[in-house]
Amino acid sequence: MCSDDEPEPSKHRRHVEPWLSALLQAEHLNLLIGSGFTTAVAKAASGPAVDLSPLCFQASHADAIQAAASSSAERIGRGSANFEDQVRSMMELNAGLRVLVAGADTAVVAQERRKWAAALLDEWSTELDKSLSTFLKNILSTERHVHAALTGEHAHPEHLRRMVAGFLLPFSSRVASRERTHVFTTNYDRLVEYASDLLGVRIIDRFVGSLAPVFQSSRLGIDLHYNPPGIRGEPRYLEGVVHLTKLHGSVDWRSTDGPSGRREVQRALLPFGAADDHPSLPTSPSDQLLIYPNAAKDVETLEFPYAELFRDFSAAVCQPNAVILTYGYGFGDDHINRVLRDMLSIPSTHMVIISYHSDCRLRAFLNTAGRDAQVTLLVGPHFGDLNTLVENYLPKPAIDRTTWRMIDLLNRRTPPAASRRDPAPQADDKPMEDSE
């Protein structure tokens, strides 16, 4: 369903809401969140959205960097180049310059080449660190505005909290005995984690530890408890638990030396919306900060920890009876689109795309996948608006049995159409007993 005009929510709700409710009861439920989610929340909080527009460089050979970024963006079908393409091009340039600097040839020409490469490497390393630091501060600025809005420094903080809760809780409120919802995001910010803390949603990821959580290769998820406490019995699953995978890394991920002397991925103690001079901010972002520039080559997805993250993604969605809902994802990452196309090759899977805009990238993905019967489209400013989506189309985030018993009781007390003229009392016109 696609609409550029303002449709009537009451007209579409009776069709969309039951359909989404049925899909959210799938055996394997997944949620893919793109930058559109942060943009929607930041807009509602009257704050700035994270800007990925390309930068202007003053260093030598800046035109070559821009040309490489534009060529990469065109090759993967994403259109014009953005900041991530420029970062990847700078990283590739620095990697090549390091090869020249490390040369062992003692000839005069080779020494001059190493001297030239070292000067250029120093120039572009400084440019890369400066660009990443600016980008990191922009993300923290967005987080600060969202934090201020959600904690009361906003005209209507309760409305914003209900909007965020109405979006996340339908996915985290599955029955505990069913498989947990897998939430995947390409965002570098911590909005999902922050909102989960406010809503009491427990997150399971690959990080283990308290003081300095470390990224582990194992996918062990511990979400059992004994109830009531102190009494022996069978373990029960916790309610309100989701698996979270940040496919492109995060602003608080660091590559650092661990206690064993080996490099490991740690999650820094960086508060949500930290100040620009916070001590946990990296001094050399290009060496420590783990954010993932938009991948154009498969070799980039084979590096640790991203190989583990994409393995989780493909394992969660590429299985029978799986459903994935995307919100705010622009289909500009070919390595993610490839997994989604593989998922749709399984006939029992389904995909829901909720997007504010319909552009060439979305149309190219749909044409390549060629599985229209397995895709539900809710495209346009009406369906893409987060508040409208939550208020009218997403199902109620409730799993309490009382609600279902009430619905069952009302259905049983409503006589069939054929017998509505019969004045005789029905056998079901009595309180329903608590039976399973």
Side-chain angles (χ1 to χ4, degrees), residues 18 47 67 100 112 114 131 152 171 174 191 248 283 337 390 392 429 432:
L100 295 178
E112 291 294 329
R114 285 199 297 271
S131 301
F171 299 94
R174 285 164 63 88
L191 179 56
H248 287 174
T283 56
N337 297 343
V390 169
N392 299 284
D429 284 346
M432 183 176 59

Side-chain angles (χ1 to χ4, degrees), residues 15-31:
H15 301 291
V16 176
E17 194 271 342
W19 177 242
L20 293 181
S21 299
L23 291 176
L24 263 59
Q25 299 302 317
E27 184 177 354
H28 308 290
L29 179 61
N30 305 279
L31 173 65

Side-chain angles (χ1 to χ4, degrees), residues 17-30 169-181 320-325 348 350 352 394-400 404:
E17 194 271 342
W19 177 242
L20 293 181
S21 299
L23 291 176
L24 263 59
Q25 299 302 317
E27 184 177 354
H28 308 290
L29 179 61
N30 305 279
L169 287 182
F171 299 94
S172 61
S173 299
R174 285 164 63 88
V175 177
S177 59
R178 310 192 72 174
E179 184 184 20
R180 308 303 193 180
T181 300
N321 302 316
V323 169
I324 185 169
L325 184 145
S348 60
H350 198 87
V352 181
L394 284 182
K396 175 188 175 184
I399 59 175
D400 56 289
W404 302 115

Side-chain angles (χ1 to χ4, degrees), residues 303-352:
E303 298 178 357
F304 183 83
Y306 306 109
E308 311 296 334
L309 302 175
F310 282 98
R311 186 177 296 113
D312 290 348
F313 180 51
S314 60
V317 303
C318 294
Q319 54 183 330
N321 302 316
V323 169
I324 185 169
L325 184 145
T326 71
Y327 180 81
Y329 173 64
F331 292 88
D333 300 299
D334 190 60
H335 53 296
I336 295 179
N337 297 343
R338 185 185 305 112
V339 176
L340 296 177
R341 287 193 296 267
D342 291 343
M343 168 194 169
L344 293 177
S345 66
I346 304 174
S348 60
T349 60
H350 198 87
M351 183 176 184
V352 181

Side-chain angles (χ1 to χ4, degrees), residues 254-266:
R254 302 287 184 268
S255 176
T256 183
D257 292 330
S260 62
R262 300 177 180 176
R263 300 291 289 182
E264 63 183 20
V265 178
Q266 291 185 0

Side-chain angles (χ1 to χ4, degrees), residues 185-387:
T185 178
T186 59
N187 299 340
Y188 305 123
D189 57 73
R190 283 88 47 82
L191 179 56
V192 174
E193 297 96 307
Y194 180 71
S196 297
D197 289 345
L198 291 179
L199 301 174
V201 177
R202 296 173 176 84
I203 290 177
I204 297 178
D205 54 18
R206 286 180 173 268
F207 285 90
V208 177
S210 299
L211 295 179
V214 178
F215 187 91
Q216 301 286 343
S217 296
S218 62
R219 293 189 295 173
L220 180 62
I222 302 176
D223 55 353
L224 298 174
H225 74 107
Y226 289 87
N227 190 29
I231 299 178
R232 296 182 59 186
E234 295 184 357
R236 300 172 60 91
Y237 288 100
L238 293 174
E239 294 180 354
V241 178
V242 298
H243 291 275
L244 176 63
T245 301
K246 307 195 73 172
L247 295 172
H248 287 174
S250 180
V251 294
D252 57 357
W253 290 14
R254 302 287 184 268
S255 176
T256 183
D257 292 330
S260 62
R262 300 177 180 176
R263 300 291 289 182
E264 63 183 20
V265 178
Q266 291 185 0
R267 186 165 56 207
L269 299 179
L270 183 67
F272 185 78
D276 292 344
D277 57 350
H278 195 276
S280 294
L281 294 178
T283 56
S284 179
S286 59
D287 295 329
Q288 298 174 298
L289 182 63
L290 281 179
I291 61 174
Y292 182 71
N294 233 340
K297 294 183 295 186
D298 292 336
V299 66
E300 294 185 2
T301 63
L302 299 179
E303 298 178 357
F304 183 83
Y306 306 109
E308 311 296 334
L309 302 175
F310 282 98
R311 186 177 296 113
D312 290 348
F313 180 51
S314 60
V317 303
C318 294
Q319 54 183 330
N321 302 316
V323 169
I324 185 169
L325 184 145
T326 71
Y327 180 81
Y329 173 64
F331 292 88
D333 300 299
D334 190 60
H335 53 296
I336 295 179
N337 297 343
R338 185 185 305 112
V339 176
L340 296 177
R341 287 193 296 267
D342 291 343
M343 168 194 169
L344 293 177
S345 66
I346 304 174
S348 60
T349 60
H350 198 87
M351 183 176 184
V352 181
I353 300 174
I354 303 177
S355 178
Y356 198 89
H357 300 288
S358 175
D359 54 16
C360 59
R361 294 177 296 182
L362 174 58
R363 291 190 292 268
F365 171 81
L366 296 174
N367 293 334
T368 304
R371 297 275 183 160
D372 296 343
Q374 295 174 237
V375 178
T376 297
L377 287 175
L378 297 174
V379 180
H382 176 75
F383 298 105
D385 181 75
L386 185 59
N387 185 66

